[in-house]
Amino acid sequence: MSIKSLVAALAGAMLLIAPALAVEITHDLGTTEVPDAPQRIVVLEYSFVDTLAAVGVSPVGIADDEKRDSIVPIYTNIIGDDWTSVGTRKSPSLEVIASLQPDLIIADTSRHEAIYGALSEIAPTISFDSLTGTYEVAIEAARTIAHAIGKDAEMEARLAEHTATMEGFKAQIGDVTGWSAQFIVDNGEGIFLHSPVSYNGSLLAWFGFTSNMPSPDGHTYEEAIVNTSLEQLSEIDPQIIIRGKYTDPGLTDSWVGQPLYDSVAAVKSGNVYDVNAHEWSRLRGVLASEVSGANLVDIVKQLKQ
Amino acid sequence: MTEIGLPRSTTSRAVTLIVALVVLVIAAALWGISVGAVAIPVDVIVNTLFNLDGEQQTYIIIKSRLPRMVLALLAGGALALSGAIIQAVIRNPLASPNIIGINSGAALFALGMVLVFPAIPVAWMPLAACIGGLLAASFVMLVAHYRNLSAVHLALIGVAVGFVFQAGVDYLLITSSDSESSAPMIWLTGSLWGRTWGHVAISWIPLLALSAVALLLSYRLDLIALGEGTATGLGLNVPRQRLILLFVATMLASVAVAVVGVMGFIGLMAPHIARRLVGGSHRLMLPVSALVGMLLVVLADSIGRAIAPPIEISAGILAALIGAPFFVYIMLTTASET
């Protein structure tokens, strides 16, 4: 703790010595000059809330889909609840963003590419692939964002802690290379498989689980989050299903008793585990992955051969 | 002017009506600038617009709401003019830019670009939409022209081509799970969200020029409206004029659809409302259509922003929602002329 505060104090002292230095940030949609240590930050995806929380910075505006509790306690414990909602992540309100007079906007590449120009007119905007990016991409984006807001030291300290936490989970989980695991979202009308190139797919791979899903070459939303039928699920035949249900009962519950569903390896062996759909499918980043890691430790404890 | 002059009473009534519509459009546009996710008092708006001392809201007024209003006016007018021309040329009250395949052609190309070629920057979507609309409509027009088909056959071929492109759109929508990345979906419902001066810059010259051409050609529509035989008898090369007029209408609608998305209602209904207001003479009906189209889109965009901030409702949805009851009202309260 004392080392951390010392580092923070050092970083703060450095800021005082060299004030008003803009940083050039290279991101998915170009290179943007970000003014020194921006104070009023608007974020348009949850994973950027995660990043700011990781370094103890509160955004002034969040595209929270008009649901304040979508910003879960692991974040609000750090950033408080003073933010202004700027609308949905899909189509945030440019006017509300502008009215907050931000000095930095953090956007999602696949969601906001079309309005990047409009956002840049409001404030310097940096954009990262959150929606279709992997765990590694999320961590790298966190590093870049921390650099943009002058919090490199805080982020490096938090990432060191993060690595230790994740390695600890990995050690508890043990060798799972013999297990194929699949994260699925069930929204009551359809199921969506998160493929190996998705955030959750890459996170499971990081812990050593294998995937029976083919890994696509490209990296589009359809390749990351695959809308799937029961037939396709039974063909992929994972040994562990990690399920996030947005409705209860979900579509998969209505399949119970159908021979095709009951014969899926995970269903047959009783290895279908429910996790929080919001936390798993929408939240990505340093803090979110630690929640997922803790979930996985619990799941592995319950595994039935 | 005298050879196809209108009765004086009709003209003065029409002039009053046009003046009233212009006032309404200006009032609606001013109201539109004052509503949205952030409430801005009138004095701040005045300060900002005329760069006076005191509090200003430069971004929201000048860079967000003003370009949207300009685009709403341009696109609303263009779509209505396009619809009026196509209805006159095809001589079918159900005709609209949609009937010669513009909307579905534009939609297929815009969606296809975003979903099938994700590597292409989204900024190119308007161009893809414009090309798609032109391609579909050109096919219909050229086939009809070279085979010398009647207006009814042209419309039927247009509907058939439209179905082919619509099938492509449906296929893309069903096979794609990408409900998350919003640009094509919002565009499909017709919206002014996120439009900037950049969109105005690429579209104002073609839209204004084409609108002027459309208004200049309006007398030819009056001749065509007399029927192909009579028009030919009066010395008009009907197939050639039809091709020119349809080309102007197609360009108008394609450019408008490219910048504001699919707003099917405007091109179909604005001309009907105009016809009910001033009758069938295209010299009056065309400008009135354009004004009605402008009014509808400006109102739809403004209401869409005012209704549930900070969430916006697409102008295309609201245009149909507020325009249709108004249209029915006008149909029921005016004397039947068509």
PDB file of all heavy atoms in Angstrom, chain B residues 290-315:
ATOM      1  N   ALA B 290     -42.730  19.640 -51.624  1.00  0.00           N
ATOM      2  CA  ALA B 290     -41.411  19.802 -51.011  1.00  0.00           C
ATOM      3  C   ALA B 290     -41.552  20.414 -49.620  1.00  0.00           C
ATOM      4  O   ALA B 290     -40.918  19.955 -48.663  1.00  0.00           O
ATOM      5  CB  ALA B 290     -40.523  20.672 -51.896  1.00  0.00           C
ATOM      6  N   LEU B 291     -42.416  21.427 -49.492  1.00  0.00           N
ATOM      7  CA  LEU B 291     -42.594  22.071 -48.183  1.00  0.00           C
ATOM      8  C   LEU B 291     -43.209  21.102 -47.176  1.00  0.00           C
ATOM      9  O   LEU B 291     -42.803  21.062 -46.010  1.00  0.00           O
ATOM     10  CB  LEU B 291     -43.477  23.320 -48.327  1.00  0.00           C
ATOM     11  CG  LEU B 291     -42.790  24.519 -48.992  1.00  0.00           C
ATOM     12  CD1 LEU B 291     -43.804  25.595 -49.339  1.00  0.00           C
ATOM     13  CD2 LEU B 291     -41.706  25.081 -48.075  1.00  0.00           C
ATOM     14  N   VAL B 292     -44.187  20.315 -47.630  1.00  0.00           N
ATOM     15  CA  VAL B 292     -44.809  19.330 -46.731  1.00  0.00           C
ATOM     16  C   VAL B 292     -43.766  18.304 -46.288  1.00  0.00           C
ATOM     17  O   VAL B 292     -43.685  17.938 -45.107  1.00  0.00           O
ATOM     18  CB  VAL B 292     -46.011  18.641 -47.422  1.00  0.00           C
ATOM     19  CG1 VAL B 292     -46.500  17.467 -46.579  1.00  0.00           C
ATOM     20  CG2 VAL B 292     -47.133  19.637 -47.649  1.00  0.00           C
ATOM     21  N   GLY B 293     -42.940  17.854 -47.246  1.00  0.00           N
ATOM     22  CA  GLY B 293     -41.884  16.892 -46.913  1.00  0.00           C
ATOM     23  C   GLY B 293     -40.924  17.463 -45.881  1.00  0.00           C
ATOM     24  O   GLY B 293     -40.552  16.797 -44.909  1.00  0.00           O
ATOM     25  N   MET B 294     -40.525  18.726 -46.101  1.00  0.00           N
ATOM     26  CA  MET B 294     -39.613  19.378 -45.140  1.00  0.00           C
ATOM     27  C   MET B 294     -40.245  19.433 -43.756  1.00  0.00           C
ATOM     28  O   MET B 294     -39.620  19.093 -42.754  1.00  0.00           O
ATOM     29  CB  MET B 294     -39.331  20.816 -45.588  1.00  0.00           C
ATOM     30  CG  MET B 294     -38.477  20.944 -46.808  1.00  0.00           C
ATOM     31  SD  MET B 294     -38.368  22.709 -47.255  1.00  0.00           S
ATOM     32  CE  MET B 294     -37.257  22.607 -48.645  1.00  0.00           C
ATOM     33  N   LEU B 295     -41.516  19.870 -43.737  1.00  0.00           N
ATOM     34  CA  LEU B 295     -42.209  20.022 -42.462  1.00  0.00           C
ATOM     35  C   LEU B 295     -42.270  18.688 -41.724  1.00  0.00           C
ATOM     36  O   LEU B 295     -41.987  18.600 -40.520  1.00  0.00           O
ATOM     37  CB  LEU B 295     -43.622  20.569 -42.711  1.00  0.00           C
ATOM     38  CG  LEU B 295     -44.439  20.928 -41.482  1.00  0.00           C
ATOM     39  CD1 LEU B 295     -43.766  22.060 -40.709  1.00  0.00           C
ATOM     40  CD2 LEU B 295     -45.851  21.356 -41.881  1.00  0.00           C
ATOM     41  N   LEU B 296     -42.633  17.620 -42.469  1.00  0.00           N
ATOM     42  CA  LEU B 296     -42.768  16.304 -41.839  1.00  0.00           C
ATOM     43  C   LEU B 296     -41.448  15.840 -41.241  1.00  0.00           C
ATOM     44  O   LEU B 296     -41.387  15.370 -40.101  1.00  0.00           O
ATOM     45  CB  LEU B 296     -43.261  15.272 -42.863  1.00  0.00           C
ATOM     46  CG  LEU B 296     -44.753  15.288 -43.186  1.00  0.00           C
ATOM     47  CD1 LEU B 296     -45.061  14.302 -44.298  1.00  0.00           C
ATOM     48  CD2 LEU B 296     -45.551  14.911 -41.929  1.00  0.00           C
ATOM     49  N   VAL B 297     -40.347  15.965 -42.016  1.00  0.00           N
ATOM     50  CA  VAL B 297     -39.071  15.441 -41.517  1.00  0.00           C
ATOM     51  C   VAL B 297     -38.540  16.287 -40.362  1.00  0.00           C
ATOM     52  O   VAL B 297     -38.039  15.750 -39.367  1.00  0.00           O
ATOM     53  CB  VAL B 297     -38.039  15.334 -42.666  1.00  0.00           C
ATOM     54  CG1 VAL B 297     -36.703  14.824 -42.131  1.00  0.00           C
ATOM     55  CG2 VAL B 297     -38.549  14.398 -43.750  1.00  0.00           C
ATOM     56  N   VAL B 298     -38.680  17.616 -40.474  1.00  0.00           N
ATOM     57  CA  VAL B 298     -38.213  18.478 -39.382  1.00  0.00           C
ATOM     58  C   VAL B 298     -38.983  18.175 -38.099  1.00  0.00           C
ATOM     59  O   VAL B 298     -38.398  18.009 -37.025  1.00  0.00           O
ATOM     60  CB  VAL B 298     -38.369  19.969 -39.765  1.00  0.00           C
ATOM     61  CG1 VAL B 298     -38.198  20.859 -38.545  1.00  0.00           C
ATOM     62  CG2 VAL B 298     -37.346  20.345 -40.823  1.00  0.00           C
ATOM     63  N   LEU B 299     -40.318  18.052 -38.218  1.00  0.00           N
ATOM     64  CA  LEU B 299     -41.123  17.747 -37.039  1.00  0.00           C
ATOM     65  C   LEU B 299     -40.770  16.373 -36.473  1.00  0.00           C
ATOM     66  O   LEU B 299     -40.623  16.206 -35.257  1.00  0.00           O
ATOM     67  CB  LEU B 299     -42.616  17.784 -37.383  1.00  0.00           C
ATOM     68  CG  LEU B 299     -43.272  19.165 -37.415  1.00  0.00           C
ATOM     69  CD1 LEU B 299     -44.734  19.032 -37.801  1.00  0.00           C
ATOM     70  CD2 LEU B 299     -43.143  19.847 -36.056  1.00  0.00           C
ATOM     71  N   ALA B 300     -40.641  15.399 -37.380  1.00  0.00           N
ATOM     72  CA  ALA B 300     -40.349  14.037 -36.925  1.00  0.00           C
ATOM     73  C   ALA B 300     -39.019  13.994 -36.184  1.00  0.00           C
ATOM     74  O   ALA B 300     -38.905  13.392 -35.111  1.00  0.00           O
ATOM     75  CB  ALA B 300     -40.327  13.077 -38.113  1.00  0.00           C
ATOM     76  N   ASP B 301     -38.006  14.654 -36.730  1.00  0.00           N
ATOM     77  CA  ASP B 301     -36.694  14.643 -36.078  1.00  0.00           C
ATOM     78  C   ASP B 301     -36.752  15.362 -34.727  1.00  0.00           C
ATOM     79  O   ASP B 301     -36.204  14.878 -33.741  1.00  0.00           O
ATOM     80  CB  ASP B 301     -35.654  15.298 -36.981  1.00  0.00           C
ATOM     81  CG  ASP B 301     -34.276  15.295 -36.340  1.00  0.00           C
ATOM     82  OD1 ASP B 301     -33.843  14.213 -35.912  1.00  0.00           O
ATOM     83  OD2 ASP B 301     -33.647  16.359 -36.242  1.00  0.00           O
ATOM     84  N   SER B 302     -37.458  16.499 -34.689  1.00  0.00           N
ATOM     85  CA  SER B 302     -37.509  17.266 -33.445  1.00  0.00           C
ATOM     86  C   SER B 302     -38.274  16.512 -32.363  1.00  0.00           C
ATOM     87  O   SER B 302     -37.832  16.424 -31.218  1.00  0.00           O
ATOM     88  CB  SER B 302     -38.182  18.623 -33.695  1.00  0.00           C
ATOM     89  OG  SER B 302     -37.550  19.276 -34.772  1.00  0.00           O
ATOM     90  N   ILE B 303     -39.423  15.961 -32.732  1.00  0.00           N
ATOM     91  CA  ILE B 303     -40.219  15.216 -31.753  1.00  0.00           C
ATOM     92  C   ILE B 303     -39.439  13.996 -31.271  1.00  0.00           C
ATOM     93  O   ILE B 303     -39.439  13.665 -30.087  1.00  0.00           O
ATOM     94  CB  ILE B 303     -41.581  14.811 -32.356  1.00  0.00           C
ATOM     95  CG1 ILE B 303     -42.405  16.071 -32.643  1.00  0.00           C
ATOM     96  CG2 ILE B 303     -42.344  13.881 -31.415  1.00  0.00           C
ATOM     97  CD1 ILE B 303     -43.694  15.807 -33.382  1.00  0.00           C
ATOM     98  N   GLY B 304     -38.749  13.342 -32.204  1.00  0.00           N
ATOM     99  CA  GLY B 304     -37.946  12.171 -31.850  1.00  0.00           C
ATOM    100  C   GLY B 304     -36.894  12.492 -30.802  1.00  0.00           C
ATOM    101  O   GLY B 304     -36.535  11.652 -29.980  1.00  0.00           O
ATOM    102  N   ARG B 305     -36.395  13.719 -30.829  1.00  0.00           N
ATOM    103  CA  ARG B 305     -35.389  14.107 -29.840  1.00  0.00           C
ATOM    104  C   ARG B 305     -36.032  14.567 -28.544  1.00  0.00           C
ATOM    105  O   ARG B 305     -35.440  14.484 -27.476  1.00  0.00           O
ATOM    106  CB  ARG B 305     -34.510  15.232 -30.404  1.00  0.00           C
ATOM    107  CG  ARG B 305     -33.379  14.690 -31.241  1.00  0.00           C
ATOM    108  CD  ARG B 305     -32.496  15.819 -31.730  1.00  0.00           C
ATOM    109  NE  ARG B 305     -33.176  16.605 -32.751  1.00  0.00           N
ATOM    110  CZ  ARG B 305     -33.225  17.928 -32.752  1.00  0.00           C
ATOM    111  NH1 ARG B 305     -32.683  18.601 -31.780  1.00  0.00           N
ATOM    112  NH2 ARG B 305     -33.838  18.561 -33.723  1.00  0.00           N
ATOM    113  N   ALA B 306     -37.271  15.112 -28.653  1.00  0.00           N
ATOM    114  CA  ALA B 306     -37.893  15.724 -27.480  1.00  0.00           C
ATOM    115  C   ALA B 306     -38.620  14.709 -26.604  1.00  0.00           C
ATOM    116  O   ALA B 306     -38.833  14.943 -25.426  1.00  0.00           O
ATOM    117  CB  ALA B 306     -38.876  16.806 -27.932  1.00  0.00           C
ATOM    118  N   ILE B 307     -38.978  13.560 -27.194  1.00  0.00           N
ATOM    119  CA  ILE B 307     -39.975  12.711 -26.554  1.00  0.00           C
ATOM    120  C   ILE B 307     -39.424  11.945 -25.356  1.00  0.00           C
ATOM    121  O   ILE B 307     -40.078  11.866 -24.307  1.00  0.00           O
ATOM    122  CB  ILE B 307     -40.596  11.773 -27.620  1.00  0.00           C
ATOM    123  CG1 ILE B 307     -42.067  11.524 -27.350  1.00  0.00           C
ATOM    124  CG2 ILE B 307     -39.847  10.487 -27.760  1.00  0.00           C
ATOM    125  CD1 ILE B 307     -42.786  10.948 -28.567  1.00  0.00           C
ATOM    126  N   ALA B 308     -38.233  11.386 -25.454  1.00  0.00           N
ATOM    127  CA  ALA B 308     -37.702  10.586 -24.350  1.00  0.00           C
ATOM    128  C   ALA B 308     -36.197  10.775 -24.227  1.00  0.00           C
ATOM    129  O   ALA B 308     -35.443   9.819 -24.335  1.00  0.00           O
ATOM    130  CB  ALA B 308     -38.035   9.104 -24.555  1.00  0.00           C
ATOM    131  N   PRO B 309     -35.725  11.994 -24.020  1.00  0.00           N
ATOM    132  CA  PRO B 309     -34.290  12.211 -23.963  1.00  0.00           C
ATOM    133  C   PRO B 309     -33.669  11.445 -22.802  1.00  0.00           C
ATOM    134  O   PRO B 309     -34.352  11.248 -21.794  1.00  0.00           O
ATOM    135  CB  PRO B 309     -34.167  13.730 -23.757  1.00  0.00           C
ATOM    136  CG  PRO B 309     -35.463  14.148 -23.159  1.00  0.00           C
ATOM    137  CD  PRO B 309     -36.478  13.201 -23.717  1.00  0.00           C
ATOM    138  N   PRO B 310     -32.418  11.002 -22.902  1.00  0.00           N
ATOM    139  CA  PRO B 310     -31.507  11.230 -24.022  1.00  0.00           C
ATOM    140  C   PRO B 310     -31.656  10.212 -25.149  1.00  0.00           C
ATOM    141  O   PRO B 310     -30.870  10.216 -26.087  1.00  0.00           O
ATOM    142  CB  PRO B 310     -30.132  11.101 -23.368  1.00  0.00           C
ATOM    143  CG  PRO B 310     -30.334  10.098 -22.292  1.00  0.00           C
ATOM    144  CD  PRO B 310     -31.728  10.313 -21.788  1.00  0.00           C
ATOM    145  N   ILE B 311     -32.655   9.345 -25.057  1.00  0.00           N
ATOM    146  CA  ILE B 311     -32.821   8.367 -26.130  1.00  0.00           C
ATOM    147  C   ILE B 311     -33.564   9.026 -27.282  1.00  0.00           C
ATOM    148  O   ILE B 311     -34.504   9.799 -27.072  1.00  0.00           O
ATOM    149  CB  ILE B 311     -33.564   7.129 -25.602  1.00  0.00           C
ATOM    150  CG1 ILE B 311     -32.617   6.363 -24.669  1.00  0.00           C
ATOM    151  CG2 ILE B 311     -34.023   6.230 -26.736  1.00  0.00           C
ATOM    152  CD1 ILE B 311     -33.241   5.265 -23.915  1.00  0.00           C
ATOM    153  N   GLU B 312     -33.116   8.747 -28.504  1.00  0.00           N
ATOM    154  CA  GLU B 312     -33.747   9.351 -29.670  1.00  0.00           C
ATOM    155  C   GLU B 312     -34.575   8.328 -30.420  1.00  0.00           C
ATOM    156  O   GLU B 312     -34.178   7.186 -30.560  1.00  0.00           O
ATOM    157  CB  GLU B 312     -32.671   9.886 -30.621  1.00  0.00           C
ATOM    158  CG  GLU B 312     -32.096  11.186 -30.157  1.00  0.00           C
ATOM    159  CD  GLU B 312     -31.081  11.714 -31.155  1.00  0.00           C
ATOM    160  OE1 GLU B 312     -31.106  11.259 -32.321  1.00  0.00           O
ATOM    161  OE2 GLU B 312     -30.280  12.560 -30.763  1.00  0.00           O
ATOM    162  N   ILE B 313     -35.724   8.773 -30.914  1.00  0.00           N
ATOM    163  CA  ILE B 313     -36.548   7.905 -31.740  1.00  0.00           C
ATOM    164  C   ILE B 313     -36.342   8.321 -33.187  1.00  0.00           C
ATOM    165  O   ILE B 313     -36.379   9.511 -33.516  1.00  0.00           O
ATOM    166  CB  ILE B 313     -38.017   7.995 -31.320  1.00  0.00           C
ATOM    167  CG1 ILE B 313     -38.140   7.505 -29.875  1.00  0.00           C
ATOM    168  CG2 ILE B 313     -38.904   7.170 -32.233  1.00  0.00           C
ATOM    169  CD1 ILE B 313     -39.434   7.828 -29.221  1.00  0.00           C
ATOM    170  N   SER B 314     -36.101   7.336 -34.061  1.00  0.00           N
ATOM    171  CA  SER B 314     -35.764   7.638 -35.446  1.00  0.00           C
ATOM    172  C   SER B 314     -36.839   8.481 -36.114  1.00  0.00           C
ATOM    173  O   SER B 314     -38.038   8.241 -35.955  1.00  0.00           O
ATOM    174  CB  SER B 314     -35.594   6.338 -36.226  1.00  0.00           C
ATOM    175  OG  SER B 314     -34.433   5.682 -35.800  1.00  0.00           O
ATOM    176  N   ALA B 315     -36.383   9.456 -36.904  1.00  0.00           N
ATOM    177  CA  ALA B 315     -37.314  10.347 -37.600  1.00  0.00           C
ATOM    178  C   ALA B 315     -38.221   9.565 -38.563  1.00  0.00           C
ATOM    179  O   ALA B 315     -39.386   9.908 -38.728  1.00  0.00           O
ATOM    180  CB  ALA B 315     -36.529  11.413 -38.350  1.00  0.00           C
TER     181      ALA B 315
END
